[in-house]
């Protein structure tokens, strides 16, 4: 069974994230959208709110699971017996950053290889990032055009 983990903070999930998952969906038997928790990071939306957003966005996708984890993504993948990590690339800077992580993961998992699969974000969504969305929300701007409907109607929570 081909199972991929799509890790991220998803604070909040954007149309860019949606684009990657929607296009990867036919490639895998199951996709686990896994929210990584970083105790050093301040989130705009609570873990529960982010999980709710994602579940709502993908409620019509039966082979998508939503989960959360702390620690290294590769450790999470091992715990779920998953051999693929799904990542989206928006620009060359994303590629360089993600390439370094993927190569490190390969070194750390030589005996139990976890392969990273990169998908390019569609051109019309390549400028969208969660940090940009959070900035727009914090200043009361029109963030609704950058996120799925489930995020558009949800109030910001802590």
């Amino acid at each position: 069974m081909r199972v991929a983990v799509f890790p991220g903070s998803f604070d909040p999930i954007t149309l860019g994230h949606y684009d990657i998952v929607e296009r990867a969906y036919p490639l895998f038997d199951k996709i686990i959208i896994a929210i990584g928790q970083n105790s050093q990071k301040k989130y705009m939306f609570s873990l529960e709110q982010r999980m709710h957003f994602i579940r709502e966005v993908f409620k019509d996708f039966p082979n998508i699971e939503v989960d959360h984890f702390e620690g290294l993504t590769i450790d999470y993948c091992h715990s779920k017996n998953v051999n693929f990590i799904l990542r989206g690339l928006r620009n060359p800077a994303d590629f360089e950053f993600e390439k370094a992580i993927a190569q490190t993961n390969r070194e750390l998992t030589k005996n139990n290889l976890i392969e990273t699969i990169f998908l390019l974000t569609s051109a019309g969504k390549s400028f969208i990032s969660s940090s940009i969305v959070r900035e727009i929300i914090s200043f009361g701007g029109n963030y609704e055009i950058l996120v799925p409907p489930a995020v558009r109607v949800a109030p910001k929570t802590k």
Side-chain angles (χ1 to χ4, degrees):
M1 190 163 158
R2 289 179 322 243
V3 180
V5 167
F6 184 39
S9 61
F10 305 102
D11 187 33
I13 187 168
T14 69
L15 291 177
H17 295 126
Y18 181 85
D19 175 62
I20 295 297
V21 174
E22 181 182 46
R23 291 178 29 244
Y25 191 72
L27 304 176
F28 297 98
D29 300 307
K30 177 177 169 183
I31 297 175
I32 302 170
I33 301 173
I35 301 173
Q37 285 295 104
N38 181 339
S39 61
Q40 304 299 312
K41 191 172 178 180
K42 287 195 161 224
Y43 297 103
M44 178 173 274
F45 296 95
S46 69
L47 174 61
E48 295 76 19
Q49 189 74 23
R50 289 179 280 150
M51 290 183 77
H52 172 75
F53 290 158
I54 297 167
R55 285 187 181 117
E56 279 298 306
V57 169
F58 294 106
K59 66 184 174 193
D60 295 327
F61 292 71
N63 297 330
I64 290 184
E65 176 184 320
V66 181
D67 199 6
H68 64 90
F69 69 98
E70 289 189 29
L72 297 175
T73 302
I74 56 167
D75 291 339
Y76 177 77
C77 289
H78 286 305
S79 76
K80 293 291 191 174
N81 202 26
V82 170
N83 292 88
F84 299 99
I85 297 173
L86 176 63
R87 299 299 295 160
L89 301 175
R90 294 171 297 180
N91 54 49
D94 279 358
F95 173 73
E96 289 301 324
F97 178 75
E98 295 292 343
K99 179 179 80 168
I101 293 171
Q103 289 172 329
T104 302
N105 286 343
R106 286 182 69 89
E107 283 298 310
L108 294 174
T109 63
K110 281 185 177 178
N111 295 332
N112 188 5
L113 185 63
I114 295 176
E115 196 65 60
T116 301
I117 307 299
F118 296 115
L119 288 183
L120 299 176
T121 304
S122 297
K125 296 174 181 65
S126 64
F127 65 95
I128 303 171
S129 72
S130 292
S131 58
I132 288 172
V133 171
R134 287 191 308 273
E135 184 81 1
I136 293 168
I137 290 170
S138 70
F139 287 102
N142 181 16
Y143 71 97
E144 291 89 354
I145 62 172
L146 306 174
V147 297
V151 180
R152 295 175 198 160
V153 299
K156 180 178 85 163
T157 62
K158 274 290 187 189

